[in-house]
Amino acid sequence: MDEIRNVALLGTGIMGYPMARNLVRAGFQVTVWNRSREKAAPLTEEGARLAETAEEAVADAQVVITMLENGPVVTEVLLVRNLARHAPANTLFIDMSSIPPSLARDHAAQLEEAGQRYIDAPVSGGQGGAEDATLAIMVGGAPADFEQAGPLFSAMGRGRHVGPVGCGQLTKLANQAIVGITIGAVSEALLLVKAGGGDPEAAREAISGGFADSRILQVHGERMLKHDFQPGGTVAIQLKDLDNILEAARDAGLKLPFTECARAGFAELAAKPETAKLDHSALLLWLEAMNEPHSLKP
């Protein structure tokens, strides 16, 4: 297969912006587009080309990467705008957004019918991982397409092929189940120590390096202790992922009670404008509200 040089990246938000920047720095010719033009324009200072429309962005692309808010937005950009007609034949479309596996398979079928190729490649690692090019990238699709996209993934993090189309999204859902449930476990554990008269910061340090250690304990545990919930991954996005997990579970005939419990907490926070856009570590606030006056607040 031809070496990839020309890349269109659609969606330059919290994650897409640093991903596009890392692709430029890795030597790819990157054209960017975003619905809010001002979020993409600064990338021209890095060497990217700014397109006024999504259709213009894909006109000469060998690869089209989408990093968009949710499934309906991806559908609107890819299918309603009929980007397959505006891109060269046999273009590789890589959706790195987080959407339901069933929707990824539907997008793949429609693009392939139009003479294009498709892989789903959602990511984990948050804004920090996007900025540092250390994202975990979970890829579903044909092995040959994954191999061709390898240099792109290496510029953004670490790609791993996990099965046919849809399996990237399914693996991302597995990741988000672990994240959502573990945020709840860390919240409960630190609040338990504080309510019992202990020092939750010291307890976190004591646990570190043991069997219960995790990135959630380290990164989000610190946020909880500081009550600093400036967003990386938001409550609203975590709720979207948990809803997608439960939809996939229903399709598979599974009951996931721990995920359902975590979903209830995130749903309460997402229903309030003042908490919906906080970092998902703010699940602690839900726990604190049901246990007043106990709190980790400094």
Side-chain angles (χ1 to χ4, degrees):
M1 290 186 177
D2 293 339
E3 180 184 6
I4 295 171
R5 301 311 313 160
N6 296 326
V7 180
L9 192 145
L10 314 180
T12 56
I14 290 175
M15 299 290 287
Y17 187 100
M19 291 163 65
R21 184 176 57 205
N22 286 331
L23 288 171
V24 172
R25 291 176 178 177
F28 294 98
Q29 296 175 13
V30 181
T31 300
V32 294
W33 172 83
N34 194 73
R35 287 178 298 175
S36 301
R37 186 180 188 277
E38 64 273 12
K39 291 185 177 180
L43 283 162
T44 59
E45 299 175 9
E46 298 280 346
R49 185 177 75 89
L50 178 64
E52 296 298 328
T53 66
E55 292 83 352
E56 176 192 341
V58 307
D60 298 315
Q62 294 168 283
V63 171
V64 175
I65 295 174
T66 45
M67 190 62 182
L68 300 166
E69 184 177 358
N70 54 41
V73 174
V74 177
T75 299
E76 192 276 327
V77 171
L78 286 183
L79 302 183
V80 176
R81 291 173 179 259
N82 196 13
L83 291 192
R85 182 169 60 87
H86 296 276
N90 205 39
T91 294
L92 178 58
F93 284 77
I94 306 177
D95 184 23
M96 303 186 77
S97 319
S98 292
I99 68 174
S102 58
L103 189 57
R105 290 190 285 268
D106 179 61
H107 290 168
Q110 295 195 51
L111 286 168
E112 289 167 4
E113 185 176 351
Q116 308 293 10
R117 295 176 292 141
Y118 174 98
I119 56 180
D120 57 304
V123 304
S124 179
Q127 183 179 358
E131 291 173 349
D132 297 339
T134 57
L135 292 170
I137 306 169
M138 297 148 272
V139 186
D145 292 336
F146 168 73
E147 183 177 352
Q148 186 188 26
L152 292 170
F153 297 141
S154 295
M156 296 181 283
R158 177 182 57 84
R160 181 66 183 266
H161 186 249
V162 294
V165 166
C167 289
Q169 297 295 347
L170 197 60
T171 303
K172 174 62 185 291
L173 293 184
N175 178 89
Q176 291 306 93
I178 294 169
V179 168
I181 293 167
T182 305
I183 288 173
V186 170
S187 298
E188 290 188 354
L190 295 179
L191 191 62
L192 175 64
V193 171
K194 178 75 176 290
D199 180 343
E201 185 170 359
R204 174 173 160 271
E205 293 174 359
I207 294 168
S208 297
F211 200 57
D213 199 1
S214 68
R215 288 276 294 165
I216 301 295
L217 178 67
Q218 295 304 321
V219 176
H220 288 335
E222 183 177 5
R223 287 175 170 169
M224 293 171 191
L225 292 168
K226 294 179 177 178
H227 256 232
D228 178 8
F229 302 120
Q230 292 301 309
T234 66
V235 165
I237 290 174
Q238 183 69 53
L239 177 62
K240 177 203 71 172
D241 289 339
L242 292 170
D243 284 339
N244 287 339
I245 292 164
L246 293 173
E247 178 184 338
R250 286 191 293 270
D251 290 344
L254 293 175
K255 182 78 171 173
L256 303 180
F258 293 111
T259 301
E260 290 174 356
C261 182
R263 193 251 175 221
F266 283 108
E268 286 197 24
L269 292 175
K272 302 173 184 177
E274 65 271 23
T275 52
K277 294 184 178 180
L278 295 179
D279 187 83
H280 53 179
S281 58
L283 184 64
L284 171 71
L285 300 177
W286 174 67
L287 186 63
E288 289 178 336
M290 72 173 68
N291 285 288
E292 291 182 342
H294 298 292
S295 174
L296 292 181
K297 194 169 184 177

